[in-house]
Amino acid sequence: MSIRQVRRLKLFILVLIGVLFAKIFITLVSLPKITVDYVAAYNEYTKPVAFTAADNAADYYYQARRLYKEPPEELDSSALLLKWREDRTPFFEGINPDDLQLLEKWLQSNKPAFDQIKLAIQKPYSWFERKSETGNTLHIIFEEFASIRDLSHALIYSAKVNAINNNFTGAANNITDCYQIGQHKCRENLSLMDQAHGLRIKNEATKAALAILAYSKPAAEELKSFQDSLQTIVDEDSYLPGFTAEKIFKYDLVQRLYLDWIRGINRPAFRIMRQIKCMCDDNNFMWVNAFVGPSRTEIISQIEHLFELHELLRDKTPWQIHHQYSNLTSEIEAMNGDDFFGEFFATSYYRYFSEYYESKVQTDALITILAALRFKADNNKLPGTLDELVSKGYMKTVPQDPYSREDLVYQVIDNDFRLYSVGKDFEDNNGEATTVERDEMFGFESMDTYEMPAMPPAPLPDPPAGKKTIWKVYKDIMYWPVERNGTRYSLRGFRSN
């Protein structure tokens, strides 16, 4: 090798070393460039097609929030409200008349807020423009959530008061109004936070309706009116859980974690990784990911593929997902993983699909129960089968059980009936429902809030000795009866021993 060639080789090596050190230096000192306003993109994506302010319910919800009066301290700390907040059953037993009078007075004071809700649910959609002071989608504030939750709870309280006062029609109207509030949140192009919020409200409404039906003795025409109202809502509902809006949050997270300054430098920013290392379980070396972690291109490809898999599962029942698409779910879980990037960019299909189908089948079950009670009121006997309800015009179709390939299970027992789903074990346990000390319908409190904590969450304390709760899953999900011999039945399929 000639001297000139050696010099060229040395120069080439020095250039490579220089480029390498330049990349390392940029990775160490640079911050990601924020080039896209994803908050604006999110607002544009979630806005309904052919949006008009006249069709939007948001202003009515804002007015309801402004008019809403918090319960007075005496009522807020009363045994009655505590019992109903904790959803203890039966809701109508052990009521202090003074507490009930206080509750009725408070509900009456909120009539102006309820009137605004009536106007809101007449609108075809509810769209709230989201804002973030930092421009970060992680910091979007879902400001109406708390007030809508309080108003929906107040409507459920009103329904129970009406039931106690033998006003079933009033109770049914309260339940329907509450259900429609939840329906406004159930749009596939909204965030999963919105959709989860709507599903919870709908389920609280239908669960309250089942408890009221177990207490009340409504006439056939009252049952029919309630059933028709719910059926109309269901007939107009084409909602399936949608995940696409979540891609906007993921893309914003990518641009805030990753560098893309110079071609080839698309790794996580060292300074950002140092800031968020506390979020990763016992991992004090998150900065290493700035050099060895997946690239921006790889992460975007993973996000795209993850959402493609979710789309393939959207219209599949839990039974189909469990028995026919387990390969897709396994792939999703493998992509999610338990590493840093898996946790940050994962979106769990199971929780949302499961909650959606639990909501759907619970509504179908409520409509079926109303039809069966109507049949009994008209014929002085229960229908022998659900097909008989359809053939005699009491309901349109027999509801399907999403946890099997069959219909919901209906059994006549003496002068009553049992209606249930086979539940998440996908096995018919002959109506053996699961009991819980405290209802765990949906764990929405643990859902993503898109907040980046400054410190890792503190570990949960151990339960007191002798008080440890063990959750057992996968038994039949009972819809009727909701109570038997004082035993509380869950509508989800968990039990506590």
Side-chain angles (χ1 to χ4, degrees), residues 235-253:
D235 289 344
E236 296 173 354
D237 182 20
S238 59
Y239 165 71
L240 280 172
F243 292 81
T244 307
E246 296 304 302
K247 290 170 71 174
I248 295 172
F249 292 90
K250 307 305 182 188
Y251 290 153
D252 193 24
L253 187 56

Side-chain angles (χ1 to χ4, degrees), residues 247 251 298-312 328 331-332 335:
K247 290 170 71 174
Y251 290 153
E298 290 170 337
I299 283 295
I300 289 176
S301 176
Q302 178 180 329
I303 291 171
E304 290 289 341
H305 185 53
L306 186 63
F307 283 94
E308 287 173 2
L309 295 179
H310 285 312
E311 284 299 312
L312 293 175
L328 294 185
E331 185 175 353
I332 289 173
M335 291 174 65

Side-chain angles (χ1 to χ4, degrees), residues 116-314:
Q116 292 298 312
I117 292 295
K118 282 283 189 184
L119 294 172
I121 60 179
Q122 292 173 20
K123 300 298 180 180
Y125 47 75
S126 174
W127 177 76
F128 293 87
E129 184 177 7
R130 300 303 181 191
K131 299 177 182 178
S132 169
E133 291 184 1
T134 64
N136 190 337
T137 54
L138 294 175
H139 299 149
I140 285 178
I141 300 173
F142 298 84
E143 57 183 344
E144 80 284 358
F145 277 19
S147 58
I148 288 179
R149 177 201 62 207
D150 291 342
L151 285 161
S152 64
H153 287 173
L155 283 169
I156 289 175
Y157 299 155
S158 180
K160 291 179 178 178
V161 168
N162 277 321
I164 290 169
N165 292 331
N166 296 317
N167 180 7
F168 181 82
T169 297
N173 290 338
N174 293 145
I175 293 295
T176 305
D177 291 350
C178 186
Y179 190 90
Q180 289 180 283
I181 292 174
Q183 193 77 349
H184 265 160
K185 290 287 186 182
C186 291
R187 282 198 293 119
E188 65 181 42
N189 64 331
L190 293 179
S191 71
L192 291 179
M193 283 285 289
D194 278 293
Q195 295 177 61
H197 191 220
L199 287 171
R200 181 172 192 175
I201 291 172
K202 287 165 63 172
N203 275 279
E204 287 176 343
T206 50
K207 186 155 64 85
L210 292 172
I212 288 169
L213 280 171
Y215 166 76
S216 303
K217 303 296 181 185
E221 57 270 19
E222 292 178 306
L223 292 167
K224 185 178 189 306
S225 177
F226 188 20
Q227 181 185 346
D228 289 346
S229 297
L230 285 174
Q231 189 65 59
T232 298
I233 297 171
V234 170
D235 289 344
E236 296 173 354
D237 182 20
S238 59
Y239 165 71
L240 280 172
F243 292 81
T244 307
E246 296 304 302
K247 290 170 71 174
I248 295 172
F249 292 90
K250 307 305 182 188
Y251 290 153
D252 193 24
L253 187 56
V254 168
Q255 79 167 346
R256 293 175 187 278
L257 287 178
Y258 279 81
L259 298 175
D260 195 21
W261 285 45
I262 299 175
R263 186 174 182 180
I265 302 179
N266 60 1
R267 295 286 175 178
F270 175 83
R271 291 169 63 183
I272 298 295
M273 302 307 290
R274 290 275 301 203
Q275 292 173 14
I276 62 177
K277 67 178 182 179
C278 63
M279 297 185 62
C280 309
D281 299 337
D282 299 324
N283 191 346
N284 294 318
F285 300 97
M286 279 309 302
W287 57 270
V288 174
N289 280 283
F291 305 101
V292 300
S295 69
R296 182 187 186 114
T297 303
E298 290 170 337
I299 283 295
I300 289 176
S301 176
Q302 178 180 329
I303 291 171
E304 290 289 341
H305 185 53
L306 186 63
F307 283 94
E308 287 173 2
L309 295 179
H310 285 312
E311 284 299 312
L312 293 175
L313 296 175
R314 277 190 68 203

Side-chain angles (χ1 to χ4, degrees), residues 376-447:
K376 183 178 181 180
D378 289 344
N379 301 281
N380 200 31
K381 66 175 184 178
L382 287 165
T385 64
L386 296 182
D387 288 325
E388 189 175 358
L389 288 175
V390 175
S391 65
K392 295 190 176 178
Y394 282 88
M395 63 181 188
K396 291 185 175 182
T397 58
V398 175
Q400 299 292 300
D401 183 354
Y403 296 100
S404 73
R405 290 180 294 177
E406 310 296 335
D407 302 334
L408 286 180
V409 181
Y410 170 83
Q411 299 171 346
V412 178
I413 304 172
D414 298 328
N415 198 36
D416 202 353
F417 65 92
R418 177 189 293 164
L419 183 71
Y420 65 91
S421 160
V422 302
K424 295 180 183 179
D425 62 351
F426 306 101
E427 295 180 4
D428 187 348
N429 297 297
N430 197 33
E432 182 184 347
T434 58
T435 60
V436 292
E437 293 299 322
R438 179 177 174 84
D439 183 52
E440 292 288 340
M441 277 288 294
F442 292 120
F444 290 111
E445 293 80 1
S446 63
M447 285 189 173

Side-chain angles (χ1 to χ4, degrees), residues 315-336:
D315 60 348
K316 308 299 185 294
T317 67
W319 189 93
Q320 291 174 310
I321 290 172
H322 179 74
H323 287 89
Q324 300 173 353
Y325 294 89
S326 58
N327 58 324
L328 294 185
T329 61
S330 297
E331 185 175 353
I332 289 173
E333 293 305 316
M335 291 174 65
N336 289 345

